[in-house]
Amino acid sequence: MSHLYKQKEFELDAFGRLRISQPLTLFDSSHRFADNDLWNESITGTASSTFNQDAGLIELDVDASDGDEIIRETTKVFSYQPGKSLLVMTTFVFGEQKTNLRQRAGYFGSNNGMYFEVDGTTVSFVERNSVTGSVTETRVNQASWNVDVMDGTGPSGFTLDTTKAQILYMDIEWLGLGTVRMGFVINGQFVHCHSFHHANLIDSTYITTASLPLRQEITNTGDTSGPSQGKQICSSVISEGGYELRGRQQAIGTPIATPKVLTTDDTYYPVISLRLKTTRLDAISILTAASFLGVDNGNYNWRVVAGGTITAGSWVSAGANSAVEYNLTGTAISGGRILASGWIGTSNQNAGSIDLLKEALFKFQMERNTFTSTAEPISLVVACDTASAKTYSTLDWEEITR
């Protein structure tokens, strides 16, 4: 059989456009020197995860006991833009097939998405949705894949070995009711195995949203014959044809009558903090601009910090239709990751805008942990070498999910 089978099909994206336009990477993940900070993890029982520096991957180990489980999910969901093909690729190694061992990898969360599954000896592609208010799944077993069953008799001639390293791909045409093509990349070829078709077939959307996280799971659904190990390697989510921010722009700032007072010198204070509402953890909101004014003489160091713990203060809704809440009265911050930093020196009064690189906007996307149902704040944090220095600041953000 020709190893160029159907390659012309993959000269087109999910909307039939030639793949000559510039793709924009919304997300990529690899593990070179450590388990990166892009994933949350839920572990049950005696299961464990281990970073393997030599192989550059995460080992996911479960014992033989019923209920042992590891789920890893990205801290962000990824922005599907209507009318553009979303290309998802993720690499992994599943453990050997055994009774009561279920393994999954794909672009999905607890309520919606698409994934590849090996449950015992049953191999499937699965579409999960909650469009009726409860989770339902459409599971298509390997023998019923509608393009290439990958048992050696299909168009590609390949036979799928689920215990070997795989590059799972899917390209998604959403608009609520498009097609999802799923398969594997082998020898540089996109082997299209199955399409989930929806247009002209259903009377609603096929999933609630196509803005979803990446996720990998290994679960003992009962006692197994012995320990099992899966491996998580790399992932990428790509908007084919670029991406344009087209959300709702919002902003919040320090009130004129009550500037933030940095009581103690050389101490970092959260001036403004933003986070997703716990009722909208799958929303996409991105910090797009920041500005800062030092009222008193001194040298000010500002930081944009993701995560961390904000002490005290009140969280206030940014509006009934907003996915965001803000805190202007936090008294301290601990932990977190510094995303950007800079200095502003004042003589009398001086203002400065904070440069957030346009091409790095998704770096400033608000994060969440669905396993704990918590949102991670993103904060403008300031310190000054003068005690009781007063400051004003503003943060702008764009809410893509509307």
Side-chain angles (χ1 to χ4, degrees), residues 88-163:
V88 178
M89 291 184 283
T90 186
T91 59
F92 54 86
V93 183
F94 280 174
E96 64 175 291
Q97 297 179 7
K98 60 180 67 172
T99 302
N100 295 330
L101 177 67
R102 186 183 67 205
Q103 302 173 88
R104 293 169 170 167
Y107 184 66
F108 69 111
S110 58
N111 296 318
N112 294 278
M114 324 294 296
Y115 57 88
F116 174 64
E117 176 184 84
V118 178
D119 188 355
T121 59
T122 302
V123 178
S124 310
F125 288 123
V126 184
E127 176 184 282
R128 172 182 289 176
N129 78 82
S130 58
V131 300
T132 64
S134 58
V135 176
T136 61
E137 293 180 329
T138 301
R139 183 169 277 97
V140 181
N141 295 342
Q142 183 175 359
S144 299
W145 292 349
N146 57 20
V147 180
D148 191 331
V149 297
M150 288 196 72
D151 64 356
T153 67
S156 68
F158 291 126
T159 298
L160 182 66
D161 185 343
T162 63
T163 66

Side-chain angles (χ1 to χ4, degrees), residues 9 83 143 145 185 205 273 291 338 344:
E9 174 184 356
W145 292 349
V185 183
T205 52
S273 299
S291 65
I338 300 172
I344 295 174

Side-chain angles (χ1 to χ4, degrees), residues 99-286:
T99 302
N100 295 330
L101 177 67
R102 186 183 67 205
Q103 302 173 88
R104 293 169 170 167
Y107 184 66
F108 69 111
S110 58
N111 296 318
N112 294 278
M114 324 294 296
Y115 57 88
F116 174 64
E117 176 184 84
V118 178
D119 188 355
T121 59
T122 302
V123 178
S124 310
F125 288 123
V126 184
E127 176 184 282
R128 172 182 289 176
N129 78 82
S130 58
V131 300
T132 64
S134 58
V135 176
T136 61
E137 293 180 329
T138 301
R139 183 169 277 97
V140 181
N141 295 342
Q142 183 175 359
S144 299
W145 292 349
N146 57 20
V147 180
D148 191 331
V149 297
M150 288 196 72
D151 64 356
T153 67
S156 68
F158 291 126
T159 298
L160 182 66
D161 185 343
T162 63
T163 66
K164 296 298 189 294
Q166 298 295 341
I167 306 173
L168 172 71
Y169 87 90
M170 63 189 80
D171 58 5
I172 298 172
E173 175 194 40
W174 195 57
L175 289 175
L177 41 80
T179 290
V180 179
R181 301 186 294 193
M182 301 184 69
F184 302 90
V185 183
I186 300 175
N187 295 350
Q189 300 178 50
F190 283 81
V191 181
H192 181 192
C193 297
H194 184 77
S195 287
F196 287 93
H197 296 298
H198 308 96
N200 202 42
L201 297 171
I202 59 175
D203 58 9
S204 184
T205 52
Y206 68 89
I207 50 178
T208 306
T209 176
S211 295
L212 294 163
L214 289 161
R215 184 167 169 135
Q216 185 166 334
E217 304 177 0
I218 181 168
T219 305
N220 287 344
T221 58
D223 291 339
T224 67
S225 59
S228 303
Q229 183 182 86
K231 298 174 183 178
Q232 182 190 57
I233 309 175
C234 291
S235 304
S236 183
V237 182
I238 297 169
S239 179
E240 301 194 87
Y243 189 92
E244 300 170 78
L245 285 177
R246 294 184 178 274
R248 179 191 298 113
Q249 190 71 35
Q250 299 211 145
I252 193 67
T254 312
I256 294 176
T258 55
K260 185 77 171 185
V261 179
L262 310 180
T263 306
T264 304
D265 60 340
D266 301 325
T267 300
Y268 289 92
Y269 292 89
V271 179
I272 304 176
S273 299
L274 306 173
R275 70 183 183 188
L276 296 172
K277 295 175 180 176
T278 55
T279 56
R280 300 193 180 184
L281 292 179
D282 64 348
I284 298 174
S285 296
I286 300 172

